[in-house]
């Protein structure tokens, strides 16, 4: 690559080749470098899909609860977004609106509930997309971090009709600030997707692309994933064990063996009650998410979302102790001081 010149809108050839090799090994995704488009985060990947496939008023179906920033993006582009419920097996395919042109899912680790879409449900979704002439956007945002169980094949791998756009990101494995992600598009959408990327921003920053390609090709990225996976596995175990042990009277943990967050549904508590607990925890230095934050259409289960990516392992026990205190106090009073944030 010549330094300082305009690049292929799809990305530098070295990074696209490195990504194709990496996801083939790590995620069983079959892709050539020509299938890969480098994007500025997952948000831009979905923006490209919308530009290619959607017109004003077209319907997009997404998991409910789900990743709200994408709902706002799609609405801003003129789409009509319909939330579809999620159960223990993932997206409820039978509830999909027949008019949906695009379905957005997070099948490996549903956000925010954390469940994995079953193989039978994955096959049902692909069959539905074929019958209804729809495209499925598979957001595989954190499946590099798996701590048990047999991984299920991505939708892209079992798709035989070119209905799946596979989206991955380096925000979880490296840094969100890099704004580097990618999409694997079927041949039928490739030319249009390249044009959409070009008119959006021409191309993603080339220096960062070249550095990442080298990082992958030298094996450093794979070693990094192995190292941090051991750390995240320990944090995942500490959090899940702590929730089961110390919060069994008020929280039901959603089983999950992938990713960088866990979710727990609150037993016998209102949304206002949980919001108050989360606010109190924030004052005590514990950052906890609420399920209500990720509502698309319908009211989600009442509960909390605990992320453990940036937390020092040694501080998890104290964070859980403070969170337990918040549940016990039930927001009886607010402190006049703010302690150092640990979660």
């Amino acid at each position: 690559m010549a330094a300082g010149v305009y690049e292929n809108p799809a990305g530098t050839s070295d990074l696209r080749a490195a990504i194709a090799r990496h996801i083939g090994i790590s995620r069983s995704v079959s892709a050539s470098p020509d299938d890969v488009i480098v994007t500025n985060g997952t948000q831009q990947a979905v923006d490209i899909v919308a530009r290619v496939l959607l017109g004003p008023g077209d319907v997009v179906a997404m998991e409910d609860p789900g990743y709200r920033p994408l709902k706002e993006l799609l609405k801003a582009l003129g789409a009509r977004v319909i939330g579809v419920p999620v159960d223990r097996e993932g997206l409820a395919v039978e509830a999909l609106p027949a008019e949906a042109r695009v379905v957005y899912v997070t099948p490996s680790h549903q956000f925010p509930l954390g469940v994995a879409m079953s193989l039978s449900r994955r096959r049902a979704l692909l069959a539905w997309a074929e019958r209804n002439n729809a495209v499925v956007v598979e957001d595989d945002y954190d499946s590099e971090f798996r701590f048990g169980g047999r991984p299920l094949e991505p939708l892209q791998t079992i798709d035989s009709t070119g209905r799946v756009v596979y989206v991955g990101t380096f925000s979880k494995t490296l840094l969100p600030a890099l704004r580097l992600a990618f999409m694997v598009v079927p041949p039928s959408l490739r030319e249009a997707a390249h044009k959409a990327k070009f008119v959006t921003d021409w191309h993603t920053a080339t220096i960062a692309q070249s550095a990442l390609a080298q990082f992958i090709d030298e094996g450093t990225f794979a070693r990094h994933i192995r190292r941090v996976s051991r750390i995240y596995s320990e944090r995942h175990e500490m959090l899940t064990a702590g929730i089961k042990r110390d919060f069994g009277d008020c929280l039901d943990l959603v089983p999950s063996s992938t990713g960088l967050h866990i979710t727990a549904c609150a037993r016998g508590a209102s949304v206002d009650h949980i919001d108050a607990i989360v606010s109190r925890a924030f004052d005590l230095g514990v950052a906890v998410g609420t399920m209500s934050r990720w509502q698309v259409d319908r009211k989600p289960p009442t509960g909390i979302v605990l992320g453990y990516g940036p937390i020092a392992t040694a501080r998890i026990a104290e964070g859980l102790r403070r969170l337990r205190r918040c549940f016990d106090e039930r927001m009886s009073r607010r402190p006049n001081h703010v302690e150092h944030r640990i979660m």
Side-chain angles (χ1 to χ4, degrees):
M1 182 190 78
V5 300
Y6 292 111
E7 249 293 344
N8 185 332
T12 63
S13 59
D14 54 350
L15 181 55
R16 286 184 288 127
I19 289 172
R21 288 192 297 271
H22 168 67
I23 60 178
I25 295 170
S26 67
R27 308 191 196 180
S28 300
V29 172
S30 177
S32 72
D34 290 338
D35 298 322
V36 177
I37 298 176
V38 179
T39 65
N40 294 304
T42 298
Q43 201 91 346
Q44 188 183 50
V46 176
D47 179 89
I48 289 171
V49 171
R51 290 172 185 268
V52 169
L53 293 175
L54 300 176
D58 282 344
V59 172
V60 177
M62 66 179 294
E63 299 159 327
D64 191 2
Y67 188 54
R68 282 284 301 275
L70 291 185
K71 175 186 178 180
E72 302 308 319
L73 165 67
L74 292 164
K75 287 175 58 181
L77 294 172
R80 185 160 65 95
V81 181
I82 296 178
V84 179
V86 176
D87 60 25
R88 292 178 180 271
E89 292 189 65
L91 181 83
V93 175
E94 69 278 6
L96 283 167
E99 66 271 31
R101 296 204 62 197
V102 173
V103 181
Y104 169 81
V105 290
T106 52
S108 295
H109 187 223
Q110 199 277 332
F111 187 88
L113 288 175
V115 298
M117 184 181 288
S118 67
L119 181 58
S120 61
R121 196 68 64 84
R122 292 172 190 236
R123 288 173 173 162
L125 175 57
L126 293 174
W128 183 94
E130 175 67 12
R131 290 194 307 271
N132 290 274
N133 193 28
V135 167
V136 177
V137 177
E138 178 179 16
D139 185 355
D140 198 9
Y141 63 98
D142 66 357
S143 68
E144 287 95 344
F145 305 120
R146 186 168 187 86
F147 314 123
R150 180 181 178 274
L152 292 170
E153 291 180 307
L155 290 167
Q156 194 270 355
T157 302
I158 60 177
D159 173 29
S160 61
T161 59
R163 293 283 168 186
V164 175
V165 175
Y166 180 89
V167 178
T169 180
F170 294 97
S171 291
K172 298 294 188 292
T173 53
L174 294 173
L175 288 172
L178 284 175
R179 304 310 301 144
L180 282 173
F182 61 90
M183 56 195 299
V184 177
V185 296
S188 61
L189 299 179
R190 186 184 300 160
E191 182 179 356
H194 284 205
K195 290 179 179 178
K197 171 63 175 172
F198 173 78
V199 300
T200 301
D201 65 357
W202 198 322
H203 61 75
T204 299
T206 56
I207 295 176
Q209 289 189 60
S210 295
L212 179 56
Q214 184 176 348
F215 193 59
I216 296 172
D217 287 338
E218 291 178 348
T220 312
F221 182 64
R223 290 193 294 273
H224 163 74
I225 293 296
R226 289 193 295 270
R227 181 180 65 83
V228 297
S229 289
R230 291 191 293 270
I231 296 171
Y232 292 149
S233 178
E234 182 181 2
R235 294 175 185 174
H236 177 273
E237 177 59 29
M238 288 185 68
L239 267 178
T240 54
I243 293 295
K244 291 177 181 178
R245 181 187 63 244
D246 300 330
F247 294 81
D249 61 323
C250 52
L251 294 176
D252 292 319
L253 190 68
V254 178
S256 175
S257 60
T258 304
L260 299 179
H261 78 271
I262 60 172
T263 300
C265 296
R267 193 180 311 126
S270 67
V271 171
D272 289 343
H273 184 198
I274 292 299
D275 286 346
I277 289 172
V278 167
S279 177
R280 169 73 165 129
F282 188 85
D283 288 341
L284 293 179
V286 183
V288 179
T290 64
M291 292 285 287
S292 59
R293 177 184 176 188
W294 307 108
Q295 176 179 347
V296 177
D297 286 330
R298 56 188 50 77
K299 183 180 178 180
T302 303
I304 61 173
V305 180
L306 298 166
Y308 51 86
I311 310 165
T313 306
R315 307 179 79 178
I316 289 177
E318 174 61 15
L320 289 175
R321 187 190 68 79
R322 296 186 191 182
L323 183 60
R324 180 70 238 195
R325 173 182 164 188
C326 296
F327 273 87
D328 291 338
E329 289 180 350
R330 296 179 179 273
M331 283 296 292
S332 60
R333 62 182 179 84
R334 296 181 65 90
N336 296 319
H337 66 283
V338 177
E339 301 182 40
H340 182 64
R341 193 156 324 286
I342 67 171
M343 292 183 75

